[in-house]
Amino acid sequence: MTLSTQDRYRTRTRDRLEPISRIEPTVWSGVDGPIDAETLVAHDARGFSVFQDLLGPSEVRAFQDELRRLSTDDKLKADERTIVESKSQEVRSIFEVHKISDLIAELVRDPRVIERARQILGSEVYIHQSRVNYMPGFRGKGFYWHSDFETWHAEDGMPSPRAVSMSIALTDNFPFNGGLMVMPGSQRTFIPCVGETPDQHYKASLSMQEIGVPSEADITTLANACGIEQFTGPAGSALMFDSNVMHGSGSNITPFPRSNIFVVFNSVENEVVEPFAAAQPRPSFIAARR
Amino acid sequence: MTLSTQDRYRTRTRDRLEPISRIEPTVWSGVDGPIDAETLVAHDARGFSVFQDLLGPSEVRAFQDELRRLSTDDKLKADERTIVESKSQEVRSIFEVHKISDLIAELVRDPRVIERARQILGSEVYIHQSRVNYMPGFRGKGFYWHSDFETWHAEDGMPSPRAVSMSIALTDNFPFNGGLMVMPGSQRTFIPCVGETPDQHYKASLSMQEIGVPSEADITTLANACGIEQFTGPAGSALMFDSNVMHGSGSNITPFPRSNIFVVFNSVENEVVEPFAAAQPRPSFIAARR
């Protein structure tokens, strides 16, 4: 038996591979939760759901204050889990934030959050990654199209796309300030990417992805088949999306910055193994190794 | 009498100047045309109007073919009026295109186009600038916030904001493929910009503007006061907007490119004089000197 027959989701190869139809469900049965039946059916088909008022206004303010506090903590700024933009010295992301902030630790265990994740994944879950993101106005850079699962599989050793992310907006998402774009239904297709993973790739990939990027031809096919939708909504709304949904974001030249709390839940039945296409797994603050 | 008392719209100064309330109307009376009264009132208040079906489907196809022909004409590619991206060698814009293409020459004289311009400016008009723009998918760069009038005043010597632009979309404008964002009502305020115009500035400014850029504080004030709207609509729709409307566009990572025909009409009662804030006027293919 060779690696290529064991690994259903081969990627980062020298030569191009054809897109792969996913076998695993998007919504797994077996665990009840707060998501109604209709929303669940739509999530299964489309790979994402938007919950408009996940947090109330006073909660939004509390988390905004917490993000401000975290981003101005000089000790935390020097922590390896904090990503600082080299030019402006502004904080862009803080990883493993549920182990840094008590308030966010509470949030990721809040039934509104974790029970939705359990319900979709049909099992107990654990946190594969958590972070807060600060995206500035005027100079927000955006992020090119990608599937998170492609990275987590290649670099973290996540066997299957049985993980779900929740992005909780702490600022208003307009159609024009660089919010997430998703391709509905794209989670059903795995797009292998060309090019081997360089060592220490995660350091570069956090700011600018060059490996793990689908070809323009594959993105075009997927966009024509699935269309593109944007995650818009007021502060406090949340997007839950499958680990294999093709997504990206444009730049933000408006004065309206964006910040959010981002948590990835993985099924305990999908624990990470050795990376499928990288020499070393990424640090545990980026991808938990239980 | 000094220059500073003659020039109502001083800009490109060493020190910051306060925003200036415009005195000229946005819609000038005196000339009838195809725009209905309600649309005209809205144009006066907001500084722009969208005409959803300015061109029919067969016209759109004809102009798309024409743009394809122009962008693949090797002789034209070497013309100074053609802006080619240095990296990809793809054509981005062709200036003075109404003197290059018979089809576009016809279009700019089409009553649907020129009579709307005459009606808004309340006089005979002439073409200050024309061009076609090709904006690629995947790598579309966008353009930072600016007022066209600020540039035309500073660098071309346009005395007053009595000019109007029409952008005719030849591809669909979605909210997410980098279409124009405008601030409704912003045309009533002139935002002076800091920094003197370098020589031959137009060559750099066509790809990346650094002079003639409003401050972040001024953009924020204007955005909070006016809001932001996007020009969306199918191929064939047109945006008419006042020369002093604050506008910009984000990047485009979608596979959906954008192209358009862009014409600027200036009132014959507003002919250009010497530049107000540049040593030399720009070449006449960028700004007609009658």
Side-chain angles (χ1 to χ4, degrees):
Chain A
M1 200 188 271
T2 68
L3 245 183
S4 66
T5 59
Q6 287 178 320
D7 179 9
R8 182 165 174 78
Y9 299 111
R10 283 185 69 202
T11 187
R12 318 252 174 135
T13 51
R14 207 193 55 184
D15 300 316
R16 180 181 183 272
L17 298 176
E18 287 297 318
I20 297 158
S21 266
R22 165 179 178 162
I23 43 169
E24 297 86 358
T26 305
V27 173
W28 296 65
S29 54
V31 178
D32 285 342
I35 308 175
D36 64 59
E38 196 180 320
T39 305
L40 218 51
V41 168
H43 189 99
D44 196 43
R46 291 156 55 80
F48 66 93
S49 306
V50 175
F51 303 102
Q52 285 289 340
D53 300 300
L54 193 96
L55 301 182
S58 65
E59 289 178 307
V60 167
R61 277 191 298 276
F63 284 108
Q64 285 169 341
D65 288 347
E66 181 70 352
L67 259 66
R68 206 168 296 123
R69 188 185 70 76
L70 294 169
S71 71
T72 51
D73 179 332
D74 279 342
K75 207 176 143 203
L76 188 55
K77 205 166 180 169
D79 194 296
E80 63 170 350
R81 294 171 293 185
T82 303
I83 311 301
V84 178
E85 188 172 276
S86 53
K87 206 170 162 190
S88 66
Q89 285 296 299
E90 289 175 78
V91 171
R92 286 288 170 266
S93 297
I94 304 171
F95 280 83
E96 213 176 42
V97 71
H98 70 292
K99 293 192 180 172
I100 294 169
S101 156
D102 291 342
L103 205 63
I104 293 173
E106 256 178 68
L107 178 66
V108 300
R109 285 184 210 105
D110 188 292
R112 291 172 292 179
V113 175
I114 198 167
E115 287 189 7
R116 283 189 162 92
R118 284 192 187 117
Q119 186 178 9
I120 285 173
L121 301 180
S123 71
E124 267 308 318
V125 299
Y126 72 96
I127 292 176
H128 178 72
Q129 182 186 98
S130 80
R131 61 179 201 260
V132 291
N133 294 310
Y134 303 80
M135 292 137 180
F138 301 111
R139 297 154 273 115
K141 281 203 192 91
F143 216 95
Y144 197 68
W145 299 105
H146 64 288
S147 148
D148 290 332
F149 174 66
E150 194 277 338
T151 297
W152 300 340
H153 184 68
E155 301 191 30
D156 302 338
M158 184 182 284
S160 302
R162 191 175 176 179
V164 69
S165 303
M166 189 183 259
S167 172
I168 304 171
L170 295 179
T171 48
D172 295 343
N173 282 341
F174 301 103
F176 46 71
N177 67 336
L180 220 58
M181 298 184 280
V182 291
M183 297 191 192
S186 60
Q187 85 281 1
R188 300 300 324 159
T189 305
F190 180 80
I191 309 285
C193 298
V194 170
E196 287 185 15
T197 315
D199 266 5
Q200 304 280 311
H201 174 240
Y202 75 93
K203 287 183 182 169
S205 73
L206 294 175
S207 60
M208 176 69 137
Q209 192 95 357
E210 285 182 3
I211 299 293
V213 172
S215 71
E216 291 185 1
D218 286 332
I219 293 171
T220 303
T221 304
L222 216 54
N224 286 332
C226 299
I228 294 174
E229 289 191 22
Q230 288 179 286
F231 169 36
T232 57
S237 55
L239 174 76
M240 278 196 96
F241 62 107
D242 183 90
S243 58
N244 192 45
V245 164
M246 189 60 67
H247 63 288
S249 61
S251 66
N252 178 20
I253 67 165
T254 78
F256 310 126
R258 288 185 310 116
S259 59
N260 61 46
I261 302 169
F262 186 83
V263 202
V264 182
F265 294 100
N266 190 21
S267 169
V268 293
E269 296 167 20
N270 192 37
E271 280 194 35
V272 299
V273 294
E274 287 303 298
F276 287 86
Q280 299 289 330
R282 300 191 296 175
S284 63
F285 66 85
I286 293 181
R289 309 196 74 78
R290 302 222 308 164
Chain B
M1 197 188 275
T2 68
L3 244 183
S4 67
T5 58
Q6 288 179 319
D7 180 9
R8 180 163 175 79
Y9 299 111
R10 281 185 70 205
T11 186
R12 317 253 174 134
T13 51
R14 208 193 53 182
D15 301 315
R16 179 181 184 273
L17 298 175
E18 287 297 317
I20 297 157
S21 265
R22 165 178 179 162
I23 43 169
E24 298 85 356
T26 305
V27 173
W28 296 65
S29 53
V31 177
D32 285 341
I35 308 176
D36 64 59
E38 195 180 320
T39 304
L40 218 51
V41 169
H43 189 100
D44 196 42
R46 293 155 55 80
F48 66 92
S49 306
V50 175
F51 303 102
Q52 285 289 339
D53 301 300
L54 193 96
L55 301 182
S58 64
E59 289 177 307
V60 167
R61 276 190 300 275
F63 283 109
Q64 285 169 342
D65 288 346
E66 180 70 351
L67 259 66
R68 206 167 297 123
R69 188 185 71 76
L70 294 169
S71 70
T72 52
D73 179 330
D74 280 342
K75 203 175 147 203
L76 187 53
K77 205 165 180 171
D79 194 296
E80 64 171 349
R81 296 171 293 183
T82 302
I83 311 300
V84 177
E85 188 172 275
S86 53
K87 208 172 160 188
S88 66
Q89 286 298 301
E90 289 175 75
V91 171
R92 287 287 170 266
S93 297
I94 303 170
F95 280 83
E96 211 176 44
V97 69
H98 70 291
K99 293 192 180 171
I100 295 170
S101 156
D102 292 342
L103 205 63
I104 293 172
E106 255 177 68
L107 179 67
V108 300
R109 285 184 210 106
D110 188 292
R112 290 171 292 178
V113 176
I114 199 166
E115 286 188 8
R116 283 189 162 91
R118 284 192 188 116
Q119 186 178 10
I120 286 172
L121 300 180
S123 72
E124 267 308 317
V125 298
Y126 72 96
I127 292 176
H128 177 71
Q129 180 186 99
S130 80
R131 62 179 200 261
V132 291
N133 294 309
Y134 304 79
M135 292 137 179
F138 300 111
R139 299 154 271 114
K141 282 205 191 87
F143 218 93
Y144 197 69
W145 297 106
H146 63 287
S147 149
D148 289 333
F149 174 66
E150 194 278 339
T151 296
W152 301 339
H153 184 69
E155 301 190 29
D156 302 337
M158 184 182 284
S160 301
R162 191 175 178 178
V164 69
S165 303
M166 188 182 262
S167 172
I168 304 172
L170 295 180
T171 48
D172 295 343
N173 282 340
F174 303 102
F176 46 71
N177 66 337
L180 219 59
M181 299 184 281
V182 291
M183 296 191 192
S186 60
Q187 84 282 2
R188 300 299 327 158
T189 305
F190 180 80
I191 309 285
C193 299
V194 171
E196 286 185 14
T197 314
D199 264 7
Q200 302 281 311
H201 174 240
Y202 75 93
K203 287 183 182 169
S205 72
L206 294 176
S207 59
M208 174 71 136
Q209 191 94 359
E210 286 180 3
I211 299 292
V213 172
S215 72
E216 292 186 1
D218 285 333
I219 293 172
T220 304
T221 304
L222 216 53
N224 287 330
C226 300
I228 293 173
E229 288 191 24
Q230 287 178 286
F231 169 36
T232 57
S237 54
L239 174 76
M240 278 197 96
F241 63 107
D242 183 271
S243 59
N244 192 43
V245 163
M246 189 60 69
H247 63 288
S249 61
S251 65
N252 178 20
I253 67 164
T254 79
F256 310 126
R258 288 185 307 114
S259 60
N260 61 46
I261 302 170
F262 186 83
V263 201
V264 182
F265 295 99
N266 190 22
S267 169
V268 294
E269 295 166 23
N270 192 38
E271 281 193 35
V272 299
V273 295
E274 287 303 297
F276 288 86
Q280 299 290 330
R282 300 192 296 175
S284 63
F285 66 85
I286 294 181
R289 309 197 74 77
R290 301 219 310 161

